[in-house]
Amino acid sequence: MKAKKSILRITKILFSTALAIVFALSIFGCVEKNIRRYADAKKLDFGVAVRPSDMLYPERAELLADHFNILVAENTMKMQYLRPNPTFWNWSDIDQLINFAEEHKMKIKGHTFIWHSQNSGFVSSLNTREDALKVLRETITETLTRYKGRIAEYDICNEIFEENGTLRDSVWMRTIGPEYVDIAFQTAREADPSVKLLLNDYNNEYAGTAKADAFYNLVKSMVERGIPIDGVGFQMHMIAKDPIKEAALIANIRRFNDLGLTVSFTEVDVRIQMPVTPEKEAEQEAAYKTLLRIAMEEPNVKSFILWGYTDLQSWIPATFGGYGSAHLFDDKFQPKPLYYTLMDMIKAK
Ligand code: XIL
């Protein structure tokens, strides 16, 4: 009788231990697939650019909410979509995006008002200073007032420099002149006192190049003149075979830190010249790892945002002929080994 009871007790203990192990493994397994938990814990803004359709397919929406904690609209907040004509405002896609983000406790990054590209026809054909100022002010004020307190950071102006460091020719430059940048930032600050205001560009990440230095000098002068600006964006559209120039990148990040400004990696992708080979993937992994390591090590780098998550709807092949496979998920929405490498880095930090 006694022997029977103790066998029963041992069996019970074994059974509950096994159950506990299975339970722990399932939670552990879940955590292991989810980069966002680690990013949240480390207070790293780890995000991605999305399209309206992403929120319409439940499996894509779930993937986004599982893996990222900040979202940016890949296109819908650009003039072309936001305000296709002077009287029509296309809020619905933006509302849907912001509601989705809030529901899943994600932040939103705004992108972008003042740019030379993807403008609506009426913006491209502005030809007086007065009309251009009116459109600039109305668009920024209307949008930031509508979403006051709900957008974490905003690329107020985008890609305003040429490679040689001069200000790019654009409708804003032609009609208003170089002070359009100051005016855009001042207008944004008046409309929303808490949103972080960024100046965003590409090929501005390495100190010592004409463009990066001109970009830095303008931002420094804005700070000195009291123009409201909180940070800068380095887009970081990189090529796998070009190793990241760490020293020049870090020097650049630190000089913005000295100005009291944050740096966001705003549009990260590392493209491969097709076809993909294991060697090229290794180069790509090295580039992503270096960027993420630097982002986590430099105290004023606040966000690491990917320009797309799946190769299926990548902007890369259409823009850079012959290149592809730039993202963390394949064209079937499955995480690549690269995804796990980056997750391990965030987890270990
Ligand atoms: C790109 C989008 O990804 C494409 O879908 C669109 O056709 C063109 O614009 N720098 C930027 C982004 O600031 O807005 C661009 O996005 C990519 C380069």
Side-chain angles (χ1 to χ4, degrees), residues 13 19 37 46 61 67 91 116 125 158 200 204 220 349:
I13 291 171
L19 258 185
R37 287 194 170 211
F46 185 78
H67 298 287
W91 299 123
H116 65 279
S125 54
N158 192 35
N200 192 47
N204 60 340
K220 180 167 179 281
K349 176 73 186 163

Side-chain angles (χ1 to χ4, degrees), residues 51 74-75 78 111 115 118 158-159 200 235 237 267 307 315:
R51 301 179 178 184
E74 184 174 354
N75 289 300
K78 296 170 180 172
H111 173 83
W115 192 23
Q118 289 186 283
N158 192 35
E159 303 182 349
N200 192 47
Q235 292 184 6
H237 299 294
E267 305 183 14
W307 206 246
W315 76 297

Side-chain angles (χ1 to χ4, degrees), residues 44-159:
L44 172 71
D45 286 346
F46 185 78
V48 68
V50 293
R51 301 179 178 184
S53 57
D54 286 321
M55 264 70 65
L56 300 177
Y57 292 92
E59 64 284 4
R60 296 186 197 180
E62 191 183 323
L63 184 154
L64 293 173
D66 277 352
H67 298 287
F68 301 101
N69 58 22
I70 181 166
L71 298 180
V72 53
E74 184 174 354
N75 289 300
T76 38
M77 290 192 189
K78 296 170 180 172
M79 280 290 200
Q80 185 186 2
Y81 299 95
L82 169 72
R83 199 178 174 191
N85 67 54
T87 52
F88 180 73
W89 299 80
N90 192 4
W91 299 123
S92 57
D93 286 334
I94 307 175
D95 286 350
Q96 183 213 17
L97 173 67
I98 296 184
N99 290 338
F100 174 82
E102 289 177 348
E103 204 178 302
H104 295 93
K105 302 190 166 39
M106 307 159 102
K107 293 184 190 170
I108 285 285
K109 175 168 186 289
H111 173 83
T112 178
F113 291 120
I114 304 302
W115 192 23
H116 65 279
S117 182
Q118 289 186 283
N119 276 319
S120 6
F122 87 96
V123 172
S124 305
S125 54
L126 286 166
N127 56 29
T128 71
R129 179 183 166 89
E130 200 191 349
D131 287 351
L133 278 175
K134 183 167 181 282
V135 169
L136 177 149
R137 290 201 171 109
E138 270 175 5
T139 307
I140 295 178
T141 305
E142 192 77 18
T143 310
L144 289 188
T145 306
R146 180 181 175 93
Y147 297 118
K148 202 178 218 156
R150 299 175 73 191
I151 296 183
E153 57 184 46
Y154 224 113
D155 297 330
I156 300 300
C157 300
N158 192 35
E159 303 182 349

Side-chain angles (χ1 to χ4, degrees), residues 16-47:
S16 41
T17 314
L19 258 185
I21 291 173
V22 168
F23 183 63
L25 275 179
S26 71
I27 290 185
F28 188 63
C30 206
V31 169
E32 282 302 283
K33 280 192 215 124
N34 187 337
I35 212 167
R36 179 181 173 177
R37 287 194 170 211
Y38 298 109
D40 282 344
K42 309 284 147 80
K43 300 209 175 336
L44 172 71
D45 286 346
F46 185 78

Side-chain angles (χ1 to χ4, degrees), residues 50-338:
V50 293
R51 301 179 178 184
S53 57
D54 286 321
M55 264 70 65
L56 300 177
Y57 292 92
E59 64 284 4
R60 296 186 197 180
E62 191 183 323
L63 184 154
L64 293 173
D66 277 352
H67 298 287
F68 301 101
N69 58 22
I70 181 166
L71 298 180
V72 53
E74 184 174 354
N75 289 300
T76 38
M77 290 192 189
K78 296 170 180 172
M79 280 290 200
Q80 185 186 2
Y81 299 95
L82 169 72
R83 199 178 174 191
N85 67 54
T87 52
F88 180 73
W89 299 80
N90 192 4
W91 299 123
S92 57
D93 286 334
I94 307 175
D95 286 350
Q96 183 213 17
L97 173 67
I98 296 184
N99 290 338
F100 174 82
E102 289 177 348
E103 204 178 302
H104 295 93
K105 302 190 166 39
M106 307 159 102
K107 293 184 190 170
I108 285 285
K109 175 168 186 289
H111 173 83
T112 178
F113 291 120
I114 304 302
W115 192 23
H116 65 279
S117 182
Q118 289 186 283
N119 276 319
S120 6
F122 87 96
V123 172
S124 305
S125 54
L126 286 166
N127 56 29
T128 71
R129 179 183 166 89
E130 200 191 349
D131 287 351
L133 278 175
K134 183 167 181 282
V135 169
L136 177 149
R137 290 201 171 109
E138 270 175 5
T139 307
I140 295 178
T141 305
E142 192 77 18
T143 310
L144 289 188
T145 306
R146 180 181 175 93
Y147 297 118
K148 202 178 218 156
R150 299 175 73 191
I151 296 183
E153 57 184 46
Y154 224 113
D155 297 330
I156 300 300
C157 300
N158 192 35
E159 303 182 349
I160 67 171
F161 282 101
E162 299 283 0
E163 295 305 299
N164 67 8
T166 57
L167 282 174
R168 188 194 286 271
D169 178 47
S170 70
V171 64
W172 309 109
M173 187 69 179
R174 282 192 300 276
T175 51
I176 304 174
E179 65 269 32
Y180 78 88
V181 182
D182 290 358
I183 297 170
F185 278 79
Q186 282 163 329
T187 307
R189 176 53 76 238
E190 281 160 28
D192 184 344
S194 65
V195 62
K196 303 268 177 269
L197 310 177
L198 308 191
L199 182 66
N200 192 47
D201 215 321
Y202 64 95
N203 289 349
N204 60 340
E205 64 274 12
Y206 295 142
T209 65
K211 187 170 181 178
D213 290 351
F215 182 94
Y216 168 76
N217 287 330
L218 175 72
V219 171
K220 180 167 179 281
S221 111
M222 290 171 74
V223 171
E224 286 165 356
R225 289 178 294 113
I227 304 299
I229 177 165
D230 300 289
V232 296
F234 298 171
Q235 292 184 6
M236 299 291 196
H237 299 294
M238 311 310 263
I239 301 175
K241 74 167 175 37
D242 297 343
I244 303 297
K245 297 174 183 143
E246 288 191 43
L249 174 57
I250 292 171
N252 205 16
I253 291 170
R254 292 188 180 165
R255 64 181 174 174
F256 286 107
N257 193 38
D258 293 342
L259 293 178
L261 298 187
T262 62
V263 173
S264 297
F265 292 1
T266 51
E267 305 183 14
V268 183
D269 49 40
V270 181
R271 59 187 183 268
I272 289 178
Q273 186 157 30
M274 305 305 273
V276 174
T277 64
E279 291 72 28
K280 293 179 193 174
E281 279 185 326
E283 291 168 344
Q284 180 190 46
E285 182 186 282
Y288 265 109
K289 282 174 73 175
T290 305
L291 292 181
L292 182 61
R293 174 169 52 72
I294 291 173
M296 290 192 299
E297 278 173 4
E298 295 302 311
N300 64 322
V301 179
K302 297 298 180 195
S303 25
F304 190 92
I305 298 177
L306 306 164
W307 206 246
Y309 60 103
T310 163
D311 291 332
L312 185 72
Q313 50 189 30
S314 172
W315 76 297
I316 295 286
T319 315
F320 304 100
Y323 284 85
S325 197
H327 309 287
L328 265 51
F329 291 79
D330 66 19
D331 53 12
K332 297 191 175 59
F333 300 92
Q334 294 308 306
K336 299 177 184 175
L338 177 62

